[in-house]
């Protein structure tokens, strides 16, 4: 199901180096979300971590244990190189998908990052990720979720050239081979309501990419 996704991200991460993560990203809202996640949080799991830039940033904010999981070998290689170069004891990043997440022990992490993954995988898998993150977190555990901006009808029309087909309602296969779920706030909040309370939600502006992402700061019920 994810062969094209894996290839797409391998190609991207093969060319991308990680900058030094000891300094904040310089994107105010993103940095404050990460600060919130790391406050009194000793351990963090990041599913769909990419090169793990966010997870590894947490190593500089007093987080002692970190685990990243990503389907792309190239992304994992970049992260693992950074970990060994900077000697980030307690941090690891592994290649894998849902099966890797399912194998993590119950209540073994205090925090989680789900950044641009929930709306880029099959909806059933997204639900499975959310359920597993709930299972893996300790009581009161914190989650930082980042989602693509929701596209209204007008925006969807403008972006029609990106899409190969609509697989199901608001769930698209892009020409790039990636999946895109145009997930509304209402649907996402319905998905999480029995597992997490929303502490804060809003939007983060990425000026370099001229775009916004939505964010949710969640706490395990
Ligand atoms: C948009 S990138 C986000 C990377 C990182 N979380 C960030 O925000 O910088 C999406 C990442 O999800 C990974 N991914 C996609 N589908 C996946 C799956 N089924 N299991 C694990 N990782 C997956 C991709 O390889 C890619 O690194």
């Amino acid at each position: 199901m994810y062969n094209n996704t894996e290839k797409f991200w391998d190609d991207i991460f093969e060319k991308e180096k990680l900058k030094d993560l000891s300094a904040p990203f310089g994107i105010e809202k993103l940095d404050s979300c990460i600060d919130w996640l790391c406050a009194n949080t000793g351990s963090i799991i990041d599913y769909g971590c990419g090169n793990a830039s966010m997870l590894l940033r947490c190593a500089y904010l007093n987080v002692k244990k970190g685990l990243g999981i990503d389907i792309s070998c190239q992304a994992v290689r970049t992260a693992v190189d950074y970990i060994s170069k900077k000697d980030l004891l307690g941090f690891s990043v592994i290649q894998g998908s849902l099966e890797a997440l399912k194998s993590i022990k119950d209540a073994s992490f205090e925090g989680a990052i789900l950044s641009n993954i929930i709306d880029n995988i099959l909806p059933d898998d997204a639900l499975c990720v959310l359920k597993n993150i709930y299972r893996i977190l300790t009581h009161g555990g914190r989650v930082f979720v980042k989602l693509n901006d929701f596209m209204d009808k007008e925006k969807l029309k403008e972006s029609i050239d990106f899409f190969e087909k609509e697989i199901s309602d608001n769930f698209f296969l892009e020409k790039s081979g990636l999946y895109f779920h145009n997930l509304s706030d209402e649907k996402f909040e319905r998905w999480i309501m029995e597992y997490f309370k929303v502490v804060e939600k809003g939007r983060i502006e990425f000026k370099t990419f001229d775009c916004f992402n939505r964010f949710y700061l969640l706490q395990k019920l």
Side-chain angles (χ1 to χ4, degrees), residues 1-2 5-10 13 16 25 30 46-55 69-73 75-76 94-99 113-122 125 129 144 146 148 178-179 206 213:
M1 284 319 259
Y2 294 104
T5 301
E6 193 177 339
K7 163 118 192 41
F8 178 93
W9 288 109
D10 272 346
F13 285 115
E16 242 187 59
F25 289 106
L30 176 66
D46 184 344
Y47 184 72
C49 63
N51 59 16
S53 58
M54 282 183 213
L55 176 72
I69 301 173
D70 199 280
I71 205 169
S72 156
C73 292
V76 171
I94 58 170
Q95 197 266 340
S97 188
L98 266 170
E99 76 300 332
I113 301 173
L114 295 172
S115 171
N116 299 100
I117 181 74
I118 286 297
D119 50 350
N120 292 110
I121 52 180
L122 304 178
D125 288 348
V129 168
F144 168 39
K146 192 151 78 63
N148 292 288
L178 297 182
Y179 295 114
F206 292 89
N213 274 186

Side-chain angles (χ1 to χ4, degrees), residues 130-152:
L130 290 166
K131 279 184 195 166
N132 273 280
I133 290 294
Y134 173 80
R135 179 185 63 73
I136 289 165
L137 285 181
T138 51
H139 183 69
R142 295 175 170 208
V143 194
F144 168 39
V145 182
K146 192 151 78 63
L147 301 172
N148 292 288
D149 230 4
F150 182 73
M151 290 195 189
D152 58 22

Side-chain angles (χ1 to χ4, degrees), residues 9 13 16-39 41-70 75 78-80 82-83 88 91-93 111-120 143-148 204-206 209 211-217:
W9 288 109
F13 285 115
E16 242 187 59
K17 281 235 158 196
L18 264 178
K19 69 169 186 92
D20 180 43
L21 296 163
S22 61
F25 289 106
I27 301 164
E28 205 179 323
K29 198 69 226 180
L30 176 66
D31 287 317
S32 74
C33 288
I34 294 174
D35 288 346
W36 174 84
L37 178 71
C38 293
T41 302
S43 53
I44 293 180
I45 185 162
D46 184 344
Y47 184 72
C49 63
N51 59 16
S53 58
M54 282 183 213
L55 176 72
L56 300 179
R57 169 78 193 121
C58 301
Y60 299 91
L61 297 168
N62 279 324
V63 175
K64 300 288 178 248
K65 180 175 102 170
L67 174 67
I69 301 173
D70 199 280
T78 308
V80 168
Y82 187 95
I83 290 170
L88 299 180
F91 280 72
S92 55
V93 175
I113 301 173
L114 295 172
S115 171
N116 299 100
I117 181 74
I118 286 297
D119 50 350
N120 292 110
V143 194
F144 168 39
V145 182
K146 192 151 78 63
L147 301 172
N148 292 288
I204 304 174
E205 184 175 11
F206 292 89
F209 300 109
C211 77
F212 284 85
N213 274 186
R214 288 170 287 168
F215 76 85
Y216 281 86
L217 302 181

